[in-house]
Amino acid sequence: MSDGNGVGYFLVGLPDNAVKESQHRIETALKNNHFRPLRQKIVINMAPADIRKEGSSYDATIAIGMLAAMGEINDEHISRYIIMGELSLDGYLKPVKGVLPIAIQARKEGFEGFILPKENAREAAIVNGIKVYGATHIREIIDFFNGDTQHLEKYEIDTRKEFEDNLAKNEEDFSDVKGQENIKRALEIAAAGGHNVILIGPPGAGKTMLAKRIPSILPPLNLHEALETTKIHSVAGRLNKDASLLYARPFRSPHHTISDIALVGGGNNPQPGEISLAHNGVLFLDELPEFKRTVLEVMRQPLEERRVTISRAKFSIEYPASFMLIASMNPCPCGYYNHPDKECVCSAGTVQKYLSRVSRPLLDRIDIHIEVTPVNFEQLADTRKAEKSEKIRERVIKARELQIKRFDNKSTIYSNAQMSSTMVREVCQINAVSQNLLKTAMNKLQLSARAYDRILKVARTISDLANSEEIKIEHLAEAIQYRSLDRETWSGD
């Protein structure tokens, strides 16, 4: 910031409209708090000059810099602090987004403290090693630098204790689901290995109910995952007021009218999409064929690489996207193709056209295909309680512990679903009898090389649940049966 001859202040360094409009917000806020009008020229350089500056979070930064240039504030310690916040016209501070990654970067660069709106303070305070102060009004920040620190509240959080005390409990439970034991088994395997799943069945069979209960059997977030997930939601502005960490695995369920950009991220001011907001959690796509084809196809690369890169002419942003995809669909437009009791009224061509809305390359990236059949009256009326999610989760956690030990020397791999093709050859070795079984299945179902890897990964997870070091033929046979959409009966012929 520099002052000179003339009156007014000028922003340089590619500010967007929201940053440019800060001039009017700041001038009005200072005037309403009885500071003298600007009587000199001030040039504010927002370096680096080739990166566009966006949003209203620079208001408090610019205002404090201006007051220091005008001699209203003791500027001896200002350079040690990061100051952020949107100013209202009366000088009160409004919350901003992206606070957590900013606090982490501020600590890396050796800043002493971070002053920001009170609503964001708990979020920033989970970063240890930097002083965090929450302010409600610009006057509190001014007094702080002039030596009166009593009005600026300092926030301190024991991150690990906060995390352990608030581990979320799921309200949804698998014990609520009547029958469907084979589907619960398949979802347990999916949760144990982090596998993608598609549920195919008629309306009312319980596909959505089952999908919503998957987070209840997933292992709880560890502290590293919680921080990583919270950073993404912070950047997207999705954290609740006065929130600190996210304690539960995300469950995102976008509507089928979603756009490509809303799903994978991007836009003029690139933001994380639904697949990144589902990082370390579940992305549920209900009625999969109703999504636009282009929306589904853009997921193919993130499903493989577990990250998404958004490229622009001058920069690129990479967001993590390691999620479990849970999809559901009816088998045909009327919903009753392959139904045990009701007759399908769709022609063969209609069924084939409906199924082809989901491309074969996308289906190849989904490890487990499950056919969901309706529950009969006897099962619905059964008053016995089914197995609770807590019990299933215990088995899932034990299987995940085996995988964590197996991939101990791989920093980015935590589950069987994340294995590369090379690792599959090393970890998922099978004997000659199993090889013959798999060869027969591959030829009969005309499976791709990618589907071959998926079957072996699922078989490895099944053996982990059985606490078996080797993949037995029964584990492989069960994995092969979870390829429903590869069977001839699903061809629509």
Side-chain angles (χ1 to χ4, degrees), residues 157-198:
I157 290 178
D158 184 334
T159 308
R160 188 165 295 279
K161 186 176 185 301
E162 175 92 358
F163 175 71
E164 292 172 354
D165 290 347
N166 291 279
L167 278 175
K169 293 184 179 179
N170 290 280
E171 294 181 3
E172 312 281 2
D173 197 283
F174 267 108
S175 61
D176 302 330
V177 181
K178 300 288 186 179
Q180 306 292 21
E181 297 305 321
N182 60 324
I183 314 301
K184 293 178 187 177
R185 164 67 178 172
L187 294 180
E188 179 182 337
I189 294 166
H195 301 290
N196 301 321
V197 180
I198 184 166

Side-chain angles (χ1 to χ4, degrees), residues 354-371:
Y354 185 78
L355 292 175
S356 66
R357 291 186 189 178
V358 183
S359 70
R360 179 57 54 183
L362 179 61
L363 283 176
D364 278 349
R365 287 167 169 82
I366 299 176
D367 308 358
I368 297 176
H369 307 165
I370 316 170
E371 186 176 356

Side-chain angles (χ1 to χ4, degrees), residues 68-242:
M70 293 160 56
E72 299 284 352
I73 288 181
N74 180 357
D75 61 359
E76 182 181 354
H77 303 298
I78 287 180
S79 61
R80 301 181 191 173
Y81 290 83
I82 293 283
I83 305 165
M84 301 204 79
E86 178 184 337
L87 275 180
S88 59
L89 299 184
D90 55 3
Y92 282 93
L93 269 66
K94 294 184 176 181
V96 295
K97 60 185 181 181
V99 162
L100 179 56
I102 293 170
I104 292 170
Q105 189 63 31
R107 182 181 63 180
K108 283 182 183 177
E109 297 187 10
F111 283 91
E112 182 180 325
F114 190 0
I115 301 172
L116 71 168
K118 197 171 185 177
E119 291 87 345
N120 296 123
R122 283 180 54 80
E123 179 187 342
I126 65 175
V127 180
N128 300 319
I130 186 169
K131 298 174 184 176
V132 174
Y133 297 93
T136 56
H137 196 276
I138 187 71
R139 176 64 75 174
E140 295 171 5
I141 305 176
I142 295 167
D143 292 343
F144 177 81
F145 286 112
N146 284 336
D148 182 3
T149 61
Q150 62 179 337
H151 300 298
L152 207 58
E153 185 178 354
K154 185 178 179 181
Y155 282 75
E156 291 182 280
I157 290 178
D158 184 334
T159 308
R160 188 165 295 279
K161 186 176 185 301
E162 175 92 358
F163 175 71
E164 292 172 354
D165 290 347
N166 291 279
L167 278 175
K169 293 184 179 179
N170 290 280
E171 294 181 3
E172 312 281 2
D173 197 283
F174 267 108
S175 61
D176 302 330
V177 181
K178 300 288 186 179
Q180 306 292 21
E181 297 305 321
N182 60 324
I183 314 301
K184 293 178 187 177
R185 164 67 178 172
L187 294 180
E188 179 182 337
I189 294 166
H195 301 290
N196 301 321
V197 180
I198 184 166
L199 304 166
I200 316 106
K207 302 186 294 294
T208 302
M209 185 179 188
L210 286 159
K212 286 183 175 179
R213 281 155 178 75
I214 290 175
S216 69
I217 62 172
L218 288 171
L221 285 171
N222 59 42
L223 184 55
H224 172 75
E225 289 175 327
L227 283 167
E228 194 175 41
T229 308
T230 305
K231 279 196 289 185
I232 298 167
H233 285 251
S234 173
V235 168
R238 300 297 181 92
L239 289 180
N240 295 329
K241 181 181 176 182
D242 295 323

Side-chain angles (χ1 to χ4, degrees), residues 195-448:
H195 301 290
N196 301 321
V197 180
I198 184 166
L199 304 166
I200 316 106
K207 302 186 294 294
T208 302
M209 185 179 188
L210 286 159
K212 286 183 175 179
R213 281 155 178 75
I214 290 175
S216 69
I217 62 172
L218 288 171
L221 285 171
N222 59 42
L223 184 55
H224 172 75
E225 289 175 327
L227 283 167
E228 194 175 41
T229 308
T230 305
K231 279 196 289 185
I232 298 167
H233 285 251
S234 173
V235 168
R238 300 297 181 92
L239 289 180
N240 295 329
K241 181 181 176 182
D242 295 323
S244 53
L245 278 173
L246 289 177
Y247 306 105
R249 292 191 180 274
F251 182 87
R252 307 293 301 181
S253 180
H255 192 260
H256 60 75
T257 55
I258 192 171
S259 67
D260 309 16
I261 290 174
L263 185 70
V264 300
N268 293 330
N269 305 327
Q271 291 285 303
E274 288 290 336
I275 63 173
S276 294
L277 293 171
H279 180 62
N280 290 324
V282 174
L283 177 69
F284 177 46
L285 302 183
D286 199 7
E287 302 299 342
L288 190 67
E290 302 302 325
F291 285 79
K292 289 187 294 184
R293 182 70 174 255
T294 54
V295 171
L296 297 179
E297 294 307 299
V298 295
M299 282 201 307
R300 283 161 54 177
Q301 179 257 347
L303 280 171
E304 286 291 309
E305 299 186 5
R306 298 188 176 272
R307 65 180 184 273
V308 59
T309 303
I310 300 164
S311 298
R312 296 292 179 264
K314 292 187 177 180
F315 64 91
S316 65
I317 299 175
E318 186 174 282
Y319 290 122
S322 182
F323 58 90
M324 265 184 73
L325 173 65
I326 308 296
S328 73
M329 61 180 284
N330 292 333
C332 65
C334 80
Y336 297 109
Y337 181 70
N338 268 7
H339 193 282
D341 302 317
K342 296 185 180 180
E343 187 177 347
C344 174
V345 297
C346 305
S347 65
T350 305
V351 174
Q352 180 61 38
K353 185 177 179 181
Y354 185 78
L355 292 175
S356 66
R357 291 186 189 178
V358 183
S359 70
R360 179 57 54 183
L362 179 61
L363 283 176
D364 278 349
R365 287 167 169 82
I366 299 176
D367 308 358
I368 297 176
H369 307 165
I370 316 170
E371 186 176 356
V372 185
T373 54
V375 179
N376 59 40
F377 176 79
E378 286 73 19
Q379 290 174 316
L380 284 173
D382 192 347
T383 56
R384 289 176 297 177
K385 272 286 185 181
E387 188 177 28
K388 285 186 169 291
S389 292
E390 186 180 352
K391 291 289 185 183
I392 302 173
R393 177 186 261 190
E394 287 174 5
R395 297 194 294 269
V396 168
I397 290 172
K398 286 180 181 177
R400 284 287 183 105
E401 286 171 352
L402 290 174
Q403 294 164 48
I404 290 169
K405 186 177 180 180
R406 178 182 300 135
F407 305 124
D408 189 43
N409 60 340
K410 308 287 183 182
S411 60
T412 58
I413 299 178
Y414 308 100
S415 65
N416 291 332
Q418 296 174 323
M419 284 191 287
S420 64
S421 295
T422 305
M423 292 186 67
V424 169
R425 303 296 182 273
E426 296 173 5
V427 175
C428 305
Q429 295 181 5
I430 53 178
N431 60 30
V433 178
S434 297
Q435 284 279 11
N436 287 333
L437 174 63
L438 186 53
K439 180 182 177 181
T440 303
M442 292 286 294
N443 292 335
K444 186 173 182 180
L445 302 177
Q446 295 183 330
L447 301 178
S448 68

Side-chain angles (χ1 to χ4, degrees), residues 1-10 38-43 69:
M1 188 172 291
S2 172
D3 57 3
N5 296 326
V7 177
Y9 81 79
F10 304 88
L38 198 63
R39 295 193 181 94
Q40 63 200 96
K41 174 185 174 183
I42 293 181
V43 177

